[in-house]
Structures are given as structure tokens and as C-alpha cells.
């Protein structure tokens, strides 16, 4: 093996993440590194749901918080993902950090956040984003961009002074993991993969190493 190949392999395998016993702690380590290396939105994650026919649906959303209870994001309840999660409260997430050659897959049950959590997060959003949440009928047909801009202008005029309250149809969800999979690139597609699983939050995690 050439010196270049040896160096590449050493960089990819520095620190054996497969020795970790806690997926939340491992995620925190990887997410901290992603925050330092990713040029855009290290908290971006693909969210997969299913519709009433069982057809998968996926889109990118932003994770707005996580702890041992799960991973949180916010959106409109009446959006397509909101309707799908109401009907089938299960989802899958995927974080892909290209700069680190890593990805994390998460699957689990979904529950709404509390009203207090939704209010607290909404209050931190820029005012234009708060106004947009009122003006947007997310996932509904839109006749033109001009119609949307008119709706934004009307809401902006209504809340020209003072705070913008959270719209009643805007909230968040928490995905509580029952499965984690951590994937790290290796040369020649001989990747490292490790899965953590448990059936209930009260159970300990079971760890399994997977073939690439």
C-alpha cells in the first residue's frame, strides 16, 4: 500500500467509534465535529415519513434540538409531513456530513412537542421567519409568488409593532430513537457501520457491527 493510501486510511480510522456504548454520546461527538467542519447547516437532516398508501416521503428539515428524549424539528401541522406524522407517528432521519465522510441513520416513534416548547422555539426565530410562518399555507397549491408576497405583506403590516405570536397551526415533533446506525467511510468501500437498537426507552441499547 502506498504512503498516500496509508495516510488516507489512518485519517478515516482515527478514534474507533465502534467502541462506543452510548449512541447519544457518540452522536454528540460527531455533531460537534460536524459543526466545526460542515460549510452549511450541519443540523440538516432528511426526514422520511409515509403517506396513507404506505408510499415513502422524504425531505430535508433542520434539527432544532436533541437530548436523550429524541430529536426535535418544527413545521406546520397541516403540511404534508404534519399530516403524515399525525396518521403514522413513526419516522426515519438521516444526517450526512460530507466533509467528515459520515452519516447517521435514526428510526423511531414520533410525538408532538409541548405547547411551551413550541412557543419558546418560535420566539427565537427571526421576525421575518415568524411572519412567513403565518403567511405560508405550507404544502398547499400557490397560484404565484406574487400572491405569497402579498400574504407576507399583510401579516407584516398586522405585526408591524410588537411580538409575533406562534400560529396555531405551527408546532414541532420529537423523534425518539429505537434504532441508530453510525456509518464512516473507509477506502475501497470497506466502510465501518455500527447499529444500536432497543424496543423501548427503558431498555439498554444493543450494539451490532454490520457489514458494509
Amino acid at each position: 500500500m502506498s504512503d498516500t493510501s496509508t495516510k488516507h486510511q489512518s485519517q478515516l480510522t482515527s478514534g474507533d467509534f465502534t467502541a462506543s456504548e452510548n449512541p447519544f454520546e457518540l452522536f454528540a461527538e460527531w455533531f460537534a465535529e460536524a459543526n466545526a467542519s460542515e460549510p452549511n447547516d450541519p443540523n440538516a437532516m432528511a426526514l422520511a415519513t409515509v403517506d396513507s398508501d404506505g408510499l415513502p416521503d422524504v425531505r430535508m428539515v433542520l434539527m432544532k434540538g436533541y437530548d436523550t428524549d429524541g430529536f426535535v424539528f418544527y413545521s406546520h401541522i397541516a403540511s404534508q409531513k404534519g399530516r403524515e406524522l399525525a396518521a403514522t407517528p413513526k419516522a426515519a432521519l438521516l444526517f450526512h456530513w460530507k466533509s467528515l465522510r459520515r452519516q447517521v441513520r435514526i428510526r423511531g416513534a414520533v410525538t408532538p412537542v409541548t405547547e411551551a416548547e413550541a412557543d419558546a422555539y418560535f420566539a427565537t426565530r427571526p421576525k421575518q421567519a415568524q411572519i412567513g410562518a403565518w403567511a405560508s399555507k405550507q404544502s398547499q397549491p400557490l397560484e404565484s409568488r406574487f400572491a405569497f408576497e402579498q400574504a407576507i405583506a399583510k401579516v407584516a403590516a398586522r405585526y408591524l409593532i410588537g411580538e409575533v405570536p406562534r400560529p396555531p397551526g405551527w408546532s414541532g415533533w420529537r423523534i425518539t430513537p429505537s434504532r441508530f446506525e453510525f456509518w464512516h467511510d473507509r477506502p475501497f468501500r470497506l466502510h465501518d457501520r455500527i447499529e444500536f437498537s432497543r424496543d423501548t426507552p427503558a431498555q439498554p441499547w444493543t450494539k451490532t457491527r454490520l457489514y458494509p
Side-chain angles (χ1 to χ4, degrees):
M1 183 178 292
S2 69
D3 290 342
T4 301
S5 179
T6 301
K7 181 184 292 185
H8 180 56
Q9 189 172 28
S10 176
Q11 289 172 341
L12 291 178
T13 58
S14 60
D16 186 4
F17 75 93
T18 62
S20 178
E21 297 296 333
N22 187 305
F24 287 105
E25 291 178 2
L26 181 55
F27 180 87
E29 292 174 13
W30 280 22
F31 186 57
E33 293 182 44
N35 270 301
S37 67
E38 282 294 299
N40 295 302
D41 298 327
N43 61 328
M45 59 187 186
L47 167 71
T49 56
V50 294
D51 66 13
S52 57
D53 295 322
L55 188 65
D57 223 347
V58 67
R59 76 287 286 164
M60 299 301 296
V61 298
L62 296 178
M63 176 188 70
K64 291 301 182 179
Y66 76 94
D67 55 25
T68 55
D69 291 327
F71 294 77
V72 175
F73 73 95
Y74 293 88
S75 186
H76 286 264
I77 295 171
S79 66
Q80 189 166 351
K81 56 183 166 299
R83 297 194 303 272
E84 290 172 354
L85 288 172
T88 306
K90 300 176 182 179
L93 305 175
L94 171 65
F95 293 87
H96 177 221
W97 298 307
K98 191 172 183 178
S99 65
L100 296 172
R101 298 175 180 266
R102 290 173 176 170
Q103 66 180 21
V104 181
R105 297 169 61 197
I106 297 166
R107 302 171 70 196
V110 179
T111 53
V113 301
T114 65
E115 295 287 306
E117 286 177 295
D119 286 340
Y121 172 69
F122 190 80
T124 69
R125 302 186 89 198
K127 189 168 185 176
Q128 279 299 110
Q130 293 174 333
I131 290 170
W134 277 95
S136 176
K137 300 175 182 178
Q138 195 174 92
S139 300
Q140 301 303 311
L142 174 62
E143 61 179 279
S144 67
R145 181 72 189 184
F146 179 66
F148 185 36
E149 290 172 350
Q150 282 186 312
I152 292 171
K154 289 180 180 178
V155 176
R158 188 191 317 161
Y159 296 110
L160 187 62
I161 300 174
E163 297 181 354
V164 181
R166 177 173 63 91
W170 191 97
S171 191
W173 295 264
R174 175 176 285 101
I175 295 91
T176 301
S178 58
R179 296 289 188 278
F180 277 90
E181 184 194 308
F182 294 84
W183 178 99
H184 198 322
D185 180 89
R186 290 287 300 272
F188 312 113
R189 299 191 178 277
L190 306 178
H191 313 309
D192 279 325
R193 294 173 64 190
I194 187 167
E195 181 186 70
F196 293 87
S197 63
R198 65 183 182 186
D199 292 330
T200 69
Q203 293 178 325
W205 290 102
T206 298
K207 185 174 71 172
T208 306
R209 187 157 191 158
L210 305 174
Y211 277 102

